Every structure is written in structure tokens, then in C-alpha cells.
Amino acid sequence: QVQLVESGGGLVQAGGSLRLSCAASGHTFSSNIMAWFRQAPGKDREFVAGISWSGDITDYRDSVKGRFIISRDNAKNTVYLQMNSLKPEDTAVYYCALRRGPYPYTPGRSHEEYDYWGQGTQVTVSS
């Protein structure tokens, strides 16, 4: 059984930074696509960033490009989301997601593509 456990959320002022981590267990982590999604109150869950199994392909939603960086350490079975220049509109619960298998090579943006999810971590950005 795959388990994903997020950490690193919290309260930060606008312009600040946070680093989210997602530790995976129960599956061959290195052969999977990983992604971060978020969901704000009253809104749909949305794609934030995704990364290929080797880490050489990344994708971001437009609103976080240039501010967020997704990375992974396959030796540690962990994926990260470095969030810089945070804005109040980034406030949401952030979820880590795993899509089984290395192909398609590029990470997808639809939550329906992903097979496993973490419990979420709250990120709150104050103005």
C-alpha cells in the first residue's frame, strides 16, 4: 500500500517562503510521476507542479512559474515543493500525488490521472 505523507506547511507572510516535503513508502518511488495539487476553500483542486520520474521534466501552472520549484530525491523517496514570493492567493491545502509508472513521461495536470494522494498540508499566506 502506497503512503504519501506531506509536511512543511504553515503560516507565512506575503513574500515569504516555505518548503513542502512529501515522503513516499510502499511503492517503487523512482518509477513514478509525482505532482503537487492544491485546494482552496470553495474551489476545485488544481494542479500546481509535476515532475517526471527522473526529475528532468517539470511542469507548473502559470501562476506559480518563477516562484515555485518542484524537485525529487529518489534515494530518499521524497518530492519537494520550494515556494518563494508567496502570495495570499497561494493559501490552500497542498496535496502530494503519485501516478504509477514512468510513462507517459511528462506529468499530467488532471487530478484524475493520479493514483495515490497524501492527507494534505495547510499553507496560509497573510497579507
Side-chain angles (χ1 to χ4, degrees):
Q1 183 71 15
V2 175
Q3 285 191 322
L4 303 175
V5 180
E6 302 101 333
S7 60
L11 173 64
V12 64
Q13 288 188 330
S17 298
L18 284 174
R19 188 194 196 202
L20 305 184
S21 299
C22 172
S25 61
H27 201 270
T28 306
F29 179 78
S30 62
S31 62
N32 298 292
I33 303 298
M34 300 298 297
W36 289 94
F37 287 74
R38 66 186 181 188
Q39 188 167 18
K43 294 188 177 181
D44 292 334
R45 189 169 298 191
E46 63 183 20
F47 172 84
V48 176
I51 188 166
S52 61
W53 65 268
S54 64
D56 62 337
I57 301 293
T58 57
D59 186 29
Y60 300 90
R61 68 179 300 104
D62 286 347
S63 61
V64 307
K65 283 181 181 177
R67 299 189 297 122
F68 290 12
I69 301 172
I70 187 171
S71 62
R72 65 190 296 164
D73 185 338
N74 288 340
K76 296 183 178 179
N77 291 349
T78 302
V79 62
Y80 305 97
L81 186 66
Q82 177 67 44
M83 304 186 295
N84 302 319
S85 302
L86 282 161
K87 304 176 180 180
E89 51 263 44
D90 294 318
T91 294
V93 178
Y94 283 71
Y95 297 90
C96 171
L98 180 150
R99 191 185 81 197
R100 289 176 298 185
Y103 303 106
Y105 194 77
T106 54
R109 293 191 172 200
S110 170
H111 66 89
E112 295 178 341
E113 299 181 35
Y114 291 83
D115 303 292
Y116 298 97
W117 295 83
Q119 82 288 350
T121 185
Q122 177 70 47
V123 171
T124 303
V125 185
S126 62
S127 57

